[in-house]
Amino acid sequence: MTTESLDPAADSRRGFLNAALGFFGTIAVVGVIYPVGLYLWPRREKRPEGGARSMKIPLAEVPIGDAKFIRFFNKPTVIIRPNEQELVALSAVCTHLGCIVKWNDANSELHCPCHGGVFDTKGAVIGGPPPSPLESYSTTVEDGYIVIEEA
Amino acid sequence: MDMDTLELGPFKVKNKLVIRMFSALDDRLGVKEILDDEVFEKIAPAHLGFWSCFGGISFFLFICQIVTGILLMIYYQPTISQAHASVGRIMNEAPFGWLIRGIHAWGSNLMLITIAVHMTKIFVSGIYKAPRELNWVVGVILLLLTLGLSFTGYLLPWTQLAYWATVVGTETPAAIPYIGEYIRFAMRGGDEIGQVTLTRFFAIHVMVLPVITAATVLLHLLQIRRQGISGPL
Amino acid sequence: MAHQTDFTKKKECEVKALPLEEKKRMVKDGEAHWFFPRHVAEQVIICGALLMILITISTIFPAHLGEKADPFNTPDHIKPEWYFLAAYYTLRVAEYTEFLGAWAPKIMGIVMQGVAVTLLLLVPFIDRGGKERRPSKRPIAMAAGAAAAITFIAFTLLGHYV
């Protein structure tokens, strides 16, 4: 029944209705997508307050020239004592695709079992595909205990 | 429909009660017309050979996966402490559980093979050409959905191989610039693979992907119905 | 066969609308089969055979359940399932792009996978070579398809053995 071009009032009414339809339609779509999206998006685990956490390991558990794998606040971690003076704590998660590295006794290196990444005792990449060195933690020795502190 | 004999294709029904029930249904829903059109007076092309079966076979395997999947879901527990043990119970304690899991596991592998054969046949016979281009695209989407089902289903028994394959599999997209980290975060449901990941993979494997796949299969079949079966070479 | 109905060029709804006499003629001339019972019987036989095969495989080679996952210990020789081996091997091939820069190996792996899937999706729009469907008349498409299939199989085997 509309005669668009001949009736300016009907035209503007139609324009207004279309705009209103678009406006409320958009609100409806966003109103569904936004809460559902937020609901689905994973939450980051909150870090407990009180600064960096630390953990103690008896020094005797890591012989010189050897490595020990520990769970440092649920993160796979390796403590290495390449020689008398040095003490290193590294994340054991390979920076390539997230596998857990293994200690290679013969070469004093860390080898990734997945794609052949090789790291030295400081965590630096010396072979294979890993793009960056292993994450390291600061360590100190106090009365026969190794104290590892979160970065 | 007042008659002594109801003729349905090759079947001749004389039972009065059956005829009365059928005609009551037919008066309301036009059942006879549907049966004649879709079953008894329907013809199928004669040129379809062995290699044309594989789309249908893949569809049948999808149905098998749904049935065995529902059966497995009855005993499976999607928690990182119980998942492995519950699959063990399905295989060792539930009667025929080993068979149901076996069909589900082998079926998924077989389905990927039959889809590959189906796609090869479509490619070699040039069936993807006009006017069927879009159905090739829908078919490839179905392949990707099947791979997604395999990927999410593989983690559910929470075994060493599955866990580490998933670590590597979800780490791979993290290399995409800018959004990669977010994709990994969303896929894992967190920074690491854990309970949240398992629950999400479970929901995606048993509900999200099967529903999307079923709808896409329907689209695939409707396109075939609309366009007809392609002719012989 | 002079007045043969071109069955295969018709939409299903048009085939459905053919007169019953015409359908009977097509079945008699061997152009078509009745859907019921012949076609249905074929489907049932095929599906039944497939189910038997599945049950047989599942009985002879039962699905096994590996060790429980240990997030603190990566086992040696982890390999993805066979259908992801080719994708897995592209990650290794991508390591040879290191000459482009340190960023390249990780990104190129996923780029190659993305390109492969995109090409597969777009096959009908890449191969627009007319209506010819016979493989012998489509040498380029056949060669490209064979190359893609061989690459996929080679990558799968390399991913398994290397």
Side-chain angles (χ1 to χ4, degrees):
Chain A
M1 293 300 270
T2 47
T3 48
E4 295 178 51
S5 47
L6 297 178
D7 184 353
D11 262 8
S12 72
R13 208 178 308 132
R14 174 183 299 257
F16 172 75
L17 285 173
N18 279 343
L21 193 66
F23 178 72
F24 287 112
T26 312
I27 286 185
V29 170
V30 172
V32 170
I33 289 177
Y34 180 74
V36 171
L38 275 194
Y39 176 84
L40 289 176
W41 189 251
R43 273 156 292 275
R44 284 211 183 267
E45 276 172 45
K46 288 198 187 71
R47 248 175 120 175
E49 291 175 19
R53 294 175 297 178
S54 62
M55 190 177 154
K56 281 183 173 179
I57 303 279
L59 190 57
E61 284 190 16
V62 195
I64 290 164
D66 205 355
K68 182 179 168 61
F69 286 83
I70 59 162
R71 296 178 183 207
F72 180 46
F73 296 109
N74 224 18
K75 278 180 279 191
T77 304
V78 57
I79 304 171
I80 312 172
R81 287 178 76 188
N83 50 50
E84 197 86 42
Q85 290 81 35
E86 279 183 90
L87 180 65
V88 195
L90 300 167
S91 159
V93 180
C94 178
T95 52
H96 180 225
L97 292 175
C99 297
I100 308 297
V101 294
K102 286 184 163 46
W103 175 247
N104 182 299
D105 219 11
N107 305 331
S108 294
E109 290 167 347
L110 291 163
H111 286 217
C112 178
C114 290
H115 303 89
V118 185
F119 302 88
D120 67 12
T121 51
K122 297 210 165 44
V125 183
I126 53 177
S132 56
L134 294 173
E135 195 188 338
S136 69
Y137 303 110
S138 68
T139 51
T140 47
V141 178
E142 286 172 21
D143 336 311
Y145 280 93
I146 303 168
V147 181
I148 316 170
E149 212 166 294
E150 274 181 323
Chain B
M1 276 214 302
D2 282 326
M3 53 182 158
D4 298 329
T5 324
L6 169 65
E7 274 188 53
L8 284 172
F11 301 113
K12 290 187 175 49
V13 183
K14 286 205 158 81
N15 186 307
K16 283 273 185 300
L17 182 64
V18 174
I19 293 176
R20 272 176 60 190
M21 277 163 56
F22 185 87
S23 33
L25 209 56
D26 191 48
D27 288 345
R28 287 158 181 80
L29 296 166
V31 183
K32 178 118 180 22
E33 191 189 337
I34 298 175
L35 281 177
D36 282 346
D37 277 356
E38 300 298 335
V39 183
F40 297 119
E41 287 176 15
K42 186 173 172 169
I43 47 176
H47 69 273
L48 298 180
F50 176 71
W51 297 108
S52 303
C53 292
F54 281 82
I57 288 179
S58 308
F59 178 64
F60 175 69
L61 285 172
F62 179 58
I63 307 278
C64 288
Q65 292 303 91
I66 291 177
V67 173
T68 50
I70 291 171
L71 292 172
L72 290 172
M73 204 164 65
I74 302 290
Y75 291 116
Y76 175 74
Q77 294 173 298
T79 66
I80 54 177
S81 60
Q82 285 303 307
H84 188 265
S86 67
V87 175
R89 280 195 294 277
I90 289 172
M91 293 174 65
N92 300 321
E93 290 172 26
F96 290 102
W98 60 272
L99 181 61
I100 289 162
R101 174 154 189 259
I103 294 176
H104 200 72
W106 279 108
S108 74
N109 286 285
L110 204 57
M111 195 170 153
L112 283 160
I113 295 172
T114 58
I115 290 174
V117 175
H118 175 57
M119 288 179 76
T120 309
K121 151 81 187 168
I122 300 292
F123 182 81
V124 172
S125 313
I127 294 169
Y128 57 85
K129 294 203 166 194
R132 299 187 174 79
E133 301 99 320
L134 284 180
N135 223 9
W136 170 274
V137 175
V138 172
V140 175
I141 292 170
L142 279 173
L143 170 68
L144 298 178
L145 286 167
T146 312
L147 287 172
L149 280 161
S150 307
F151 183 70
T152 48
Y154 190 51
L155 179 69
L156 299 186
W158 204 247
T159 59
Q160 267 290 66
L161 279 182
Y163 179 90
W164 290 102
T166 310
V167 168
V168 174
T170 51
E171 188 70 46
T172 313
I176 302 172
Y178 306 113
I179 55 165
E181 303 263 322
Y182 295 100
I183 295 178
R184 177 181 59 188
F185 188 63
M187 280 174 87
R188 290 184 176 176
D191 289 316
E192 280 134 33
I193 289 182
Q195 178 59 58
V196 185
T197 322
L198 183 61
T199 318
R200 277 169 190 245
F201 272 46
F202 178 65
I204 293 170
H205 183 76
V206 305
M207 211 58 226
V208 180
L209 287 179
V211 168
I212 296 176
T213 308
T216 315
V217 166
L218 190 67
L219 189 64
H220 204 54
L221 297 177
L222 282 176
Q223 281 195 61
I224 298 172
R225 274 189 84 108
R226 191 71 189 144
Q227 297 176 326
I229 307 269
S230 64
L233 280 174
Chain C
M1 299 283 270
H3 51 275
Q4 181 178 348
T5 311
D6 197 347
F7 177 79
T8 54
K9 287 213 171 60
K10 287 192 184 303
K11 294 171 186 166
E12 185 152 325
C13 52
E14 293 167 11
V15 173
K16 202 186 290 174
L18 289 173
L20 191 56
E21 290 310 308
E22 172 68 5
K23 289 181 183 172
K24 280 180 180 162
R25 184 200 61 76
M26 288 169 72
V27 172
K28 207 174 118 227
D29 290 350
E31 293 166 39
H33 298 311
W34 288 118
F35 176 79
F36 185 90
R38 158 129 191 196
H39 198 67
V40 171
E42 283 174 6
Q43 307 282 309
V44 169
I45 289 168
I46 291 170
C47 291
L50 196 68
L51 200 58
M52 297 309 277
I53 291 172
L54 255 183
I55 291 173
T56 312
I57 300 175
S58 306
T59 310
I60 299 173
F61 310 101
H64 80 286
L65 181 63
E67 262 177 90
K68 188 178 174 181
D70 177 1
F72 291 89
N73 178 25
T74 307
D76 286 326
H77 315 298
I78 63 156
K79 295 270 178 186
E81 288 285 83
W82 64 270
Y83 38 85
F84 286 128
L85 280 173
Y88 162 87
Y89 191 73
T90 54
L91 295 182
R92 297 206 145 189
V93 171
E95 286 169 27
Y96 295 107
T97 60
E98 208 171 356
F99 64 90
L100 293 172
W103 54 270
K106 246 189 145 177
I107 296 175
M108 290 312 279
I110 191 131
V111 167
M112 287 194 282
Q113 293 174 19
V115 169
V117 171
T118 312
L119 286 178
L120 188 64
L121 268 170
L122 298 182
V123 160
F125 307 102
I126 297 167
D127 173 25
R128 307 186 64 97
K131 293 217 160 207
E132 182 55 68
R133 286 179 42 209
R134 274 168 296 175
S136 55
K137 297 285 168 66
R138 296 155 54 222
I140 300 173
M142 285 301 111
I150 289 169
T151 310
F152 183 82
I153 293 169
F155 272 33
T156 302
L157 292 174
L158 287 166
H160 182 73
Y161 288 108
V162 178

